[in-house]
Amino acid sequence: MIEKLRDARLLSLVENEAGLIGYRFQGPLLDAFEALDGALIDLFQADCRLTAHSCTTMLQREALEAIGFFGKLPSIPLHAVPHEIAADQSARQSAWVLSPSTCYHTFGHLSGLAESWDLRCFTARGVCHRFEPSAEPTRLASFTMREFVLIGDADLVVTRGESMFERAVAFLGELHGDVSVKAASDVFYGENAKATRRVQLARGIKREILVPWNGAELAVGSRNLHYALFTGAYGIGSAEGGPAMHSACVAFGIERLLLALLARTEGHDPERLAEAVAESARAVHAT
């Protein structure tokens, strides 16, 4: 399918000798990309009023250090050197990285906000960068993430996050017809200890949406519970000693999701997929 899209000039690869970095989309394939992203936004408008914000490509390293990123996550961050000559950075580590996930921008934007609320939902689309070498054609070093971040009362965050996740499962089930869900471990809590990961699975901290891909299962979306990790680390919430606000996110890798859906679309036709996305969204809204 990838070669067919390349031959039609709907897709081109950005890669180097170490592997695939990302994709460029054009014409109907880009239209399908935007239609899919827009459908996800519309899908969750029924669950809560969304507050949208933008993201930057670079992020301060200290924003990741605050939540123990470098000791927990398996991906290697890509460092950046804004306003400086790269050669001058060879002897020391840069204070900036290319953003590895969209939600850090949400928490960074709200950092230090001494307010509390019942429930708010923020959304953003950002380009994420991770060094996770793989021959799998959807494991990209640079990819687009649409993320929905819930912040508020602990119980409301869990119940609304689950409601949104189940709505996404129904939406993708209409499109793909072979969608499954499984519990997964989340590296935000504990490092790589097997016992810690078993506890995470038992507590349902992370749930993933899976679709078949080349004989394996491909994770195209997830729901993650952060508890008070992010709100505490970024100082978000009332300073009056009330209950700590919690957070959760529902996130999708758009390129990966698009290609997984296109693989199941007749003729691998992006225009047909865009039509199917609209039909699926209408079906879910009607239920």
Side-chain angles (χ1 to χ4, degrees), residues 2-280:
I2 299 296
E3 288 302 317
K4 176 183 176 181
L5 295 171
R6 289 183 69 184
D7 291 343
R9 292 293 176 177
L10 296 177
L11 174 151
S12 61
L13 275 59
V14 180
E15 57 187 342
N16 62 13
E17 63 279 0
L20 184 60
I21 295 172
Y23 292 117
R24 287 181 290 248
F25 297 149
Q26 177 179 286
L29 187 57
L30 179 60
D31 293 341
F33 175 95
E34 295 293 350
L36 182 58
D37 182 53
L40 291 171
I41 295 173
D42 292 342
L43 191 68
F44 295 138
Q45 294 281 11
D47 288 279
C48 58
R49 182 174 178 271
L50 300 175
T51 299
H53 68 81
S54 61
C55 301
T56 56
T57 300
M58 288 181 285
L59 195 67
Q60 288 173 294
R61 182 183 168 89
E62 65 184 26
L64 303 182
E65 292 173 339
I67 52 99
F69 177 95
F70 297 98
K72 296 177 181 179
L73 290 183
S75 60
I76 300 173
L78 306 179
H79 287 84
V81 285
H83 308 305
E84 300 181 58
I85 299 173
D88 293 340
Q89 296 293 308
S90 58
R92 60 189 176 91
Q93 193 171 57
S94 174
W96 293 83
V97 297
L98 298 179
S99 177
S101 191
T102 301
C103 67
Y104 300 127
H105 297 279
T106 303
F107 294 108
H109 182 66
L110 299 173
S111 180
L113 183 61
E115 297 178 11
S116 292
W117 50 80
D118 290 337
L119 184 70
R120 293 179 66 182
C121 183
F122 303 85
T123 188
R125 189 174 92 180
V127 178
C128 302
H129 305 82
R130 300 177 186 176
F131 180 66
E132 301 172 302
S134 172
E136 200 276 301
T138 67
R139 179 71 68 178
L140 307 176
S142 177
F143 64 95
T144 308
M145 179 184 291
R146 167 60 66 180
E147 194 152 2
F148 301 86
V149 180
L150 294 157
I151 302 175
D153 172 79
D155 290 337
L156 288 176
V157 164
V158 172
T159 56
R160 192 62 58 85
E162 195 64 16
S163 171
M164 292 171 68
F165 182 75
E166 292 298 336
R167 184 179 286 269
V169 171
F171 168 65
L172 296 178
E174 289 280 342
L175 277 170
H176 197 282
D178 194 4
V179 170
S180 61
V181 174
K182 78 169 184 180
S185 56
D186 194 321
V187 289
F188 291 128
Y189 283 89
E191 282 66 37
N192 294 317
K194 292 182 179 179
T196 301
R197 290 186 177 273
R198 284 198 295 269
V199 171
Q200 294 170 10
L201 291 170
R203 296 178 67 188
I205 287 176
K206 185 183 187 76
R207 298 181 72 201
E208 292 182 331
I209 304 173
L210 304 171
V211 297
W213 175 270
N214 289 342
E217 289 184 316
L218 189 67
V220 296
S222 66
R223 186 273 288 141
N224 306 274
L225 302 179
H226 311 140
Y227 298 104
L229 175 65
F230 286 108
T231 52
Y234 286 89
I236 304 168
S238 174
E240 299 176 357
M245 290 198 297
H246 284 202
S247 68
C249 70
V250 181
F252 304 89
I254 305 299
E255 286 92 348
R256 172 177 282 195
L257 180 56
L258 176 70
L259 294 174
L261 295 175
L262 192 61
R264 287 291 293 263
T265 303
E266 183 180 347
H268 302 149
D269 182 354
E271 292 183 348
R272 193 183 297 271
L273 175 58
E275 293 171 359
V277 165
E279 292 174 3
S280 178

